[in-house]
Amino acid sequence: MTAPAPNWLGHLSDEERVLQDEAAAVERARGLLARPTDEDPEPLFVAANLIALVHFRLGELEQARALCRAETAHGRRRASGGSPAKLAALALQPQVNLVRIEGYAGDLDRALAALAALERIADGLPARTADLDWWPQDLAADPALARRIRALARNVRVSDTCKILYRRARADLLAPAAARFTARWPALAAQGIQHAAETPWLLGTEEAEPPGPAALTDPDPMARRLAVVRTLHLTAHAAERGERQRVVDLAGPLVEAVGSLPGPWASPLTVPRWWAVLGAALQRADRERQGRILLRAALAEARGDAPLVRGVLLRLGEPAPPRPSAPAGLDKVTRQLHAALAPQRSRAGV
């Protein structure tokens, strides 16, 4: 297999990220649970997704799985009483979360089967695996929502397959999967889903040529973002190989390109992650001062990204924060969620 990339953050494409502040997640979930859910069930699903993520980050996989399954069952039960399209869409997210739990920390083969099923959902077809159960007719009454769900399934299929295979050190599967995604959806990178397009550069494969001389100043912001990400990976690999001058030569244009990129961004953490990778590469190229400046800039904007914070502090020679522990109120909020998601007995108690 191809050696893993010499940066600790893996794929660098812009994407939505949930900030890793467990205590804030519990507080937000508590506020969402205070809202009435008879008319709008969405706050309940958002709260459950947040708390399932907290359990996952604490390594409490069974608690995370249990919440995701309770959400899915709740959505199906409520769909029989009205708003089936919206409830079907809400119930898809916890199923995707189950796939991610298996992909990152559970049964990889099970996750890959579900990720392949997401491609069927993207094609407007039914899909059923151990963790996914989807019927497109549930959204027949809302064509606009159906189109959004198909796009979501496609995007998750691409981005999460790439990230999971990388994290599980399966470059033998990742390289061909990324090539297939790029061939099947050639316009996807221009829409901002760039994980497949960056993968050869992440892995340092032979076809990962340097972007052309004009790529970092391309007038198309999405093309420029992809050029930045690819060049960042090239810079990290050059640092790993001890090519110090190569790192320095790449760093200058990168700093200019990143500084001139317009938003909006799917996540405010994207650019700090880029600064961190570039700063670490400059450190390894004996440009300690420049490297530390970029690492400090990344740390100032880390905003709860635990892997980013830990990696930066390690490279600055400073102690990392302790591993997160269960925040106050987590157990209580989890119990509240299970009670709200459970089948409701009739007033007669039957």
Side-chain angles (χ1 to χ4, degrees):
M1 295 194 303
T2 307
N7 82 70
W8 74 101
L9 296 173
H11 287 84
L12 298 174
S13 293
D14 185 37
E15 63 179 5
E16 291 186 16
R17 297 181 182 276
V18 179
L19 302 186
Q20 299 193 19
D21 185 333
E22 287 75 16
V26 170
E27 284 303 311
R28 186 182 175 204
R30 186 180 288 120
L32 290 166
L33 283 172
R35 302 181 187 179
T37 61
D38 290 341
E39 294 297 325
D40 182 10
E42 187 168 355
L44 175 59
F45 281 85
V46 173
N49 289 332
L50 279 171
I51 298 304
L53 181 60
V54 171
H55 283 297
F56 174 75
R57 287 174 173 164
L58 294 173
E60 299 170 350
L61 303 188
E62 282 309 311
Q63 291 92 324
R65 290 184 179 108
L67 264 180
C68 292
R69 291 174 183 139
E71 283 183 82
T72 304
H74 180 76
R76 289 176 181 146
R77 283 192 304 272
R78 287 198 59 169
S80 63
S83 303
K86 181 174 183 178
L87 285 159
L90 289 172
L92 180 60
Q93 185 60 57
Q95 295 178 72
V96 169
N97 291 342
L98 280 171
V99 177
R100 289 169 170 161
I101 291 168
E102 297 305 324
Y104 287 108
D107 185 330
L108 179 59
D109 289 336
R110 177 170 172 160
L112 292 178
L115 287 164
L118 281 170
E119 198 162 334
R120 289 181 56 82
I121 297 175
D123 291 336
L125 300 172
R128 190 164 194 176
T129 72
D131 297 311
L132 276 177
D133 188 3
W134 180 259
W135 301 94
Q137 56 265 40
D138 291 339
L139 270 60
D142 193 336
L145 179 59
R147 287 192 294 272
R148 292 199 297 273
I149 290 298
R150 289 177 63 177
L152 171 67
R154 176 201 62 192
N155 296 349
V156 173
R157 165 62 163 152
V158 172
S159 62
D160 282 79
T161 300
C162 290
K163 292 188 295 181
I164 286 168
L165 288 174
Y166 178 73
R167 293 299 180 189
R168 299 294 283 262
R170 293 304 304 269
D172 57 323
L173 299 179
L174 172 55
R180 191 177 76 79
F181 296 151
T182 301
R184 180 168 186 199
W185 293 297
L188 200 56
Q191 299 170 26
I193 308 300
Q194 300 184 332
H195 300 75
E198 75 165 285
T199 289
W201 283 259
L202 169 69
L203 296 176
T205 56
E206 292 180 0
E207 65 268 31
E209 296 292 333
L216 289 174
T217 57
D218 195 299
D220 179 358
M222 286 301 173
R224 210 156 70 215
R225 288 185 189 189
L226 182 57
V228 164
V229 166
R230 288 172 167 174
T231 308
L232 280 166
H233 289 307
L234 289 174
T235 305
H237 282 290
E240 177 75 6
R241 294 190 297 266
E243 299 172 358
R244 299 173 183 175
Q245 190 57 50
R246 174 71 167 154
V247 171
V248 174
D249 291 343
L250 291 170
L254 270 173
V255 170
E256 292 183 17
V258 175
S260 66
L261 268 171
W265 299 91
S267 169
L269 293 165
T270 295
V271 172
R273 290 164 70 88
W274 291 356
W275 290 140
V277 170
L278 185 56
L282 284 166
Q283 273 190 322
R284 300 186 71 173
D286 291 337
R287 296 298 193 274
E288 181 69 21
R289 177 177 169 276
Q290 296 96 317
R292 291 180 72 87
I293 289 173
L294 291 177
L295 288 168
R296 288 287 181 194
L299 187 62
E301 300 295 328
R303 301 183 188 182
D305 185 333
L308 175 59
V309 169
R310 287 184 172 277
V312 168
L313 290 175
L314 175 67
R315 286 154 181 81
L316 289 172
E318 298 178 13
R323 296 287 181 183
S325 57
L330 175 60
D331 289 343
K332 182 178 180 180
V333 169
T334 302
R335 289 194 300 271
Q336 286 179 293
L337 282 165
H338 278 293
L341 294 166
Q344 299 299 307
R345 295 182 178 182
S346 69
R347 292 186 179 181
V350 178

